[in-house]
Amino acid sequence: MPGAEPHDLRPSAHPTARRAGPGYPQVVLDLLTAARDRPVFEHGPRTVTGGELADLVARLATGLAAAGIGPGSGVATVLGVSPEAFAAVVAAQVVGARVAGVRPGLTAEQLRHVLGHDIAAVLLDPSTATPGLRSASAGLRLLAVGPVDGVPDLAATPAPATPPRPAGRPDDIARVIYTSGSTGAPKGCVQTYAALGAGWAPHRDRWPPAVRDLAARLDRYLVFGSLSSQVMLEYGLLTLAAGGTMVVAEPAGGARPFLPDAIARHRATASVVTVPRLTGMVALQRSDPADLGSLRALLVSGSPLEPGRLAEAMSVLGPVVYHGYGQTETGMISMVTPAELTAALAAAATGRDADNAATGRGADRAATGTASSVLGSVGRPPAVVDVEVRDPEGRPVPAGVAGELFVRTPAQANGYWSEPAETAEVFVDGWVRTRDLARQDADGYLHLLGRTRDVVIVNAELVYAGPIERALASHPEVAEAYVVAAPDEQTGEAAHAFVVPVAGCRPDREMLRELVRERLGEASVPRTVTFVADVPVSAAGKPDKRRLRHRDGAGGGDGGGDVAQGPGPAAP
């Protein structure tokens, strides 16, 4: 049923899920009060202090309460990126609402799907008040944050005599984050107020070591895209707690890509970046560099980064790369820091030099092995994150053995809105089934190997896409590689590869296919290799293989791409 709540919505089973200290969002209000006289947001020529933002939160919360919005009410936020948007999200949580962040780019059908999830009011602003939104919101109450024709402006609410106190109950749903669903309709991942209260971002005393290292570099954190993005908002809260400023970056127009141009324009010290954008940044910095002297932290997320590309990014951009891994359902799981990467690269170089000199092989090979462990990983989970790698029967496996990764985090989600079957499949006895294939080495580093469902069935043989992608990405002329499955008359299914070449390069397609054949065998060889300039990404910043497949016509056409097609593996 569209309005039904998630199946078996229970508080998180993680031991630290209910922690001492101010609840959520009281901790955010406390941070704003502590920052009363310093800038916490910069938006174009405007600077907004913590005190000004706290006053706006109070007015917006008062206006929401007067409109009948309270604990349990569903509020969809369709907002741009601004101090007012940030304040509106916090205000909705102050009154105890269930805040459903609506990301940009949804189709009309997807938007109607999200707004059908028991929504009492839609929050919009002048940048999002489009005819399409008004049409999709027909029959729902509209409330504005700023002047919008025909819609009450909550920002005009007079300041209350006493700021409202947070009204959310621990087991109420606080946030719904929408991700791509298997059917094409957005899937709502829900977190309770207790889960948000157990998070680490706004609490300095809970920061894991890698996060503490990152926080010291968040003087000017670039905010863009959408505050409905879990990553963007979480690191915004971390910036607030670290004493930094969130700097809103909007597209400037012109021929230069948004990144790294926005970093240079705003003198940002930190930004989030997806793997495809990182690849583009590195290429551009080689050919037409921007002044990135202010940059101290680049948080790479969304998908694994091939070790050679990671080393190249460190070489071109400097010791600024943090490679993080997490999921919407769990939040951050692990992170590797620039210091770890720098040490690993130095160890790898030492090992190569020693091998070239044919001396000290034992010790230096050990150092090279440690370097490979770090560079090929997504870091080590902090102490508050429990991880288990399990075999197909659900039994934990020893270090170094591959299996499916299960995770428990303090602020993990509790289920999916109106998706009882998938909730039961993913949220198992207090653990989150990530559906990622992984191994954890003896040093505790996690290595992602692919997705349990990211498979191609070739002649009834299960072939995983992840190893094919890694083999292709290891070629020096390949920047990124992604593999999808498509029906095949000869073999049932076949792998199809989409390759982003390194700038200025044109890899030999047959050599790429041969590289896969040599490493993985005939069944893994891509039926086609399509060169593409870039790869579409989802709202979470992950490569969107569904759009890639449809855009470039896997299994039949080139869609304007440059396709090499070879014979499929022989059927048995």
Side-chain angles (χ1 to χ4, degrees):
M1 294 172 54
E5 292 203 0
H7 171 74
D8 194 16
L9 183 63
R10 298 165 293 177
S12 169
H14 193 280
T16 59
R18 293 177 186 268
R19 303 178 70 161
Y24 199 90
Q26 184 60 51
V27 61
V28 182
L29 301 180
D30 292 346
L31 289 174
L32 293 176
T33 298
R36 177 161 291 277
D37 298 320
R38 72 167 181 85
V40 297
F41 253 101
E42 184 179 299
H43 187 197
R46 294 191 300 151
T47 57
V48 180
T49 67
E52 290 169 332
L53 204 59
D55 292 344
L56 178 57
V57 169
R59 297 201 313 274
L60 295 176
T62 300
L64 284 167
I69 304 300
S73 300
V75 173
T77 56
V78 189
L79 302 165
V81 180
S82 66
E84 290 76 15
F86 181 90
V89 172
V90 176
Q93 290 173 333
V94 166
V95 300
R98 166 174 39 87
V99 180
V102 180
R103 67 179 191 262
L106 294 183
T107 66
E109 184 177 350
Q110 290 171 332
L111 184 56
R112 285 192 293 270
H113 173 81
V114 170
L115 297 181
H117 287 177
D118 194 19
I119 297 299
V122 177
L123 279 182
L124 63 150
D125 64 24
S127 73
T128 63
T130 63
L133 175 60
R134 289 179 184 264
S135 174
S137 304
L140 297 176
R141 185 166 193 179
L142 300 182
L143 299 171
V145 182
V148 173
D149 287 345
V151 181
D153 182 5
L154 297 178
T157 305
T162 303
R165 301 282 298 173
R169 298 161 298 208
D171 294 342
D172 285 346
I173 299 172
R175 179 166 70 177
V176 185
I177 304 169
Y178 285 93
T179 66
S180 300
S182 58
T183 64
K187 178 176 61 179
C189 188
V190 305
Q191 287 176 286
T192 63
Y193 279 96
L196 291 186
W200 47 264
H203 297 274
R204 296 177 68 99
D205 60 337
R206 299 181 191 172
W207 290 348
V211 171
R212 186 171 298 279
D213 184 82
L214 171 64
R217 306 182 185 210
L218 295 176
D219 299 333
R220 293 175 60 79
Y221 168 64
L222 209 62
V223 183
F224 58 92
S226 173
L227 292 178
S228 66
S229 160
Q230 182 183 29
V231 172
M232 195 63 66
L233 186 59
E234 288 294 305
Y235 288 99
L237 291 174
L238 179 63
T239 299
L240 183 60
T245 301
M246 288 173 267
V247 181
V248 177
E250 297 173 343
R256 289 187 66 85
F258 177 75
L259 293 178
D261 181 61
I263 295 172
R265 277 191 291 118
H266 294 283
R267 308 304 300 158
T269 64
S271 179
V272 174
V273 65
T274 61
V275 169
R277 264 190 164 154
L278 177 69
T279 301
M281 279 184 63
V282 170
L284 193 61
Q285 284 302 102
R286 285 193 181 280
S287 62
D288 185 17
D291 178 5
L292 299 185
S294 64
L295 183 64
R296 299 176 61 207
L298 200 57
L299 180 63
V300 183
S301 65
S303 55
L305 186 57
E306 196 273 328
R309 300 291 160 250
L310 183 55
E312 183 185 19
M314 291 283 287
S315 173
V316 173
L317 302 175
V320 300
V321 177
Y322 291 79
H323 191 196
Y325 166 56
Q327 292 193 339
T328 303
E329 293 84 352
T330 62
M332 190 193 83
I333 295 171
S334 61
M335 182 184 291
V336 63
T337 66
E340 291 174 288
L341 295 174
T342 299
L345 289 168
T350 299
R352 286 193 300 270
D353 291 344
D355 277 349
N356 289 339
T359 59
R361 288 184 181 274
D364 290 308
R365 281 180 177 168
T368 304
T370 300
S372 176
S373 173
V374 176
L375 293 173
S377 81
V378 287
R380 283 186 286 207
V384 295
V385 174
D386 300 325
V387 300
E388 280 188 359
V389 180
R390 301 180 183 177
D391 66 16
E393 284 70 45
R395 298 170 301 202
V397 300
V401 176
E404 185 173 358
L405 183 64
F406 285 71
V407 175
R408 290 192 304 191
T409 66
Q412 69 188 37
N414 303 90
Y416 302 112
W417 185 265
S418 195
E419 297 276 359
E422 190 152 10
T423 294
E425 180 181 351
V426 173
F427 297 86
V428 182
D429 298 328
W431 293 81
V432 176
R433 182 182 186 182
T434 67
R435 294 189 278 204
D436 281 336
L437 295 173
R439 63 179 175 84
Q440 188 171 27
D441 64 29
D443 295 319
Y445 286 93
L446 276 178
H447 300 255
L448 299 182
L449 307 176
R451 294 283 286 167
T452 58
R453 292 184 173 181
D454 202 0
V455 297
V456 189
I457 303 176
V458 181
N459 292 325
E461 178 183 346
L462 208 61
V463 174
Y464 286 97
I468 306 174
E469 292 169 346
R470 289 193 297 278
L472 292 168
S474 70
H475 190 283
E477 295 183 355
V478 172
E480 303 169 56
Y482 302 96
V483 170
V484 302
D488 188 271
E489 291 183 359
Q490 298 179 36
T491 58
E493 285 187 342
H496 295 264
F498 295 86
V499 169
V500 180
V502 169
C505 295
R506 196 64 164 178
D508 184 283
R509 293 163 293 191
E510 284 307 314
M511 287 184 63
L512 294 179
R513 299 177 77 247
E514 186 60 30
L515 176 63
V516 175
R517 181 180 289 109
E518 289 177 357
R519 293 194 182 183
L520 302 172
E522 190 66 35
S524 296
V525 175
R527 173 61 61 88
T528 60
V529 177
T530 305
F531 294 131
V532 293
D534 54 34
V535 175
V537 295
S538 69
K542 298 179 184 293
D544 191 331
K545 292 188 176 183
R546 182 185 294 111
R547 287 170 57 200
L548 184 66
R549 181 189 293 113
H550 293 322
R551 187 183 73 179
D552 290 286
D558 62 13
D562 192 357
V563 181
Q565 183 160 332

